[in-house]
Amino acid sequence: MFVGAHPDDDAFGVARTVALHAPDRTLRLILVHATDGEAGEIAPDSGVEPHELAVVRREETAESWRVVGHPPDRHEWFELPDGRLADHPFDDLVERITAVMEEERPDVVVTFGPDGISGHPDHVVVGAATTQAFLGLASAGGPGLQRLLHGAIRQSWVDRWNSKRRELGLWTWDPTEPFHLRGVPDETIGVDVDTTAVVERVIAAIRAHRTQWSYLTMDDDRALGESLRAEHFVVVWPPRAPGAPVLADVFEGLDTSRVG
């Protein structure tokens, strides 16, 4: 189960892992979007008007997952206000996420960590609400809910990218600025998935979000491909012991026969 704020959060968040597992008929993918992304910027060459954006972004998301090869088995759109999730009652958001989570009892839940990856307030709120929902249900026992992951970017990766950008005279990621990427210390990464085998497919899936593409910060397919060769996650639940081995897959070591 992936819980995000906007259409395309999922494409960057879990599409690589899902693409790797797409042939597995036992995989059930639950997708939750808090908003339709109706307040997002619109790529000038997309030909989409502001009043059309919410509908088009849903269509883009559906096409993106068709490209990945495993469309969501359940997809919930909460239709909350894009860009203003912090103004929505937090407890209501937790309750909505809890309701889906309780019905599905997913083995693995993925969402944003406290940094929201880019510091986007919507990301931060959704991540906090999902984390609270998961921990509340997991503490009560029952099937599923074996692992909670926060999507993350290794700080060493951000440092390398910034170094290359400086050499080219380009602007660099600054974690003190809004909507800039935030890295986490490398030692906090608990799951590091090699996704090299599905890079081309995921690039195509991301390109399906055509209304947003001109505003994505990748310079070209080569740079995008380099950034998509791995998915990194911080393990929130169960608590990871310092120095524990880094897992190579989000399902590694789980008893997936216990799904509800």
Side-chain angles (χ1 to χ4, degrees), residues 17-208:
T17 283
V18 174
L20 288 172
H21 287 275
D24 183 354
R25 294 185 178 181
T26 68
L27 175 66
R28 181 169 172 81
L29 174 63
I30 311 305
L31 197 58
V32 174
H33 281 106
T35 82
D36 291 346
E38 75 281 358
E41 296 184 88
I42 304 175
D45 55 353
S46 68
V48 174
E49 297 296 328
H51 71 275
E52 303 172 312
L53 187 57
V55 171
V56 171
R57 294 197 71 180
R58 287 196 184 207
E59 294 170 349
E60 291 174 341
T61 300
E63 175 58 22
S64 177
W65 283 104
R66 282 193 289 270
V67 172
V68 169
H70 188 110
D73 297 282
R74 176 176 177 178
H75 196 167
E76 295 288 336
W77 296 90
F78 289 169
E79 301 182 336
L80 298 177
D82 182 13
R84 293 183 286 127
L85 288 182
D87 298 330
H88 186 81
F90 184 74
D91 288 346
D92 177 73
L93 182 56
V94 172
E95 288 176 7
R96 293 189 188 204
I97 296 169
T98 298
V100 178
M101 202 178 290
E102 190 166 25
E103 290 175 6
E104 295 291 344
R105 309 296 298 192
D107 286 309
V108 178
V109 174
V110 181
T111 190
F112 292 103
D115 61 2
I117 293 202
S118 67
H120 195 305
D122 283 358
H123 294 181
V124 173
V125 169
V126 163
T130 304
T131 299
Q132 183 167 316
F134 180 100
L135 295 177
L137 285 176
S139 64
L145 303 175
Q146 297 185 65
R147 182 170 289 157
L148 173 62
L149 303 176
H150 285 168
I153 302 174
R154 286 181 176 271
Q155 184 60 50
S156 60
W157 182 86
V158 176
D159 292 342
R160 286 197 300 272
W161 199 1
N162 274 346
S163 178
K164 290 180 181 179
R165 293 183 68 83
R166 288 190 195 96
E167 292 175 3
L168 296 172
L170 302 173
W171 58 268
T172 57
W173 300 108
D174 180 352
T176 67
E177 293 292 327
F179 310 123
H180 277 231
L181 294 183
R182 274 84 163 144
V184 302
D186 285 23
E187 62 271 18
T188 65
I189 297 295
V191 184
D192 196 343
V193 186
D194 182 351
T195 56
T196 305
V198 295
V199 165
E200 295 304 319
R201 197 189 325 168
V202 175
I203 288 175
I206 290 172
R207 289 282 190 187

Side-chain angles (χ1 to χ4, degrees), residues 227-242:
S227 74
L228 295 175
R229 292 186 180 277
E231 275 185 341
H232 311 296
F233 304 96
V234 173
V235 179
V236 181
W237 180 268
R240 178 173 177 263

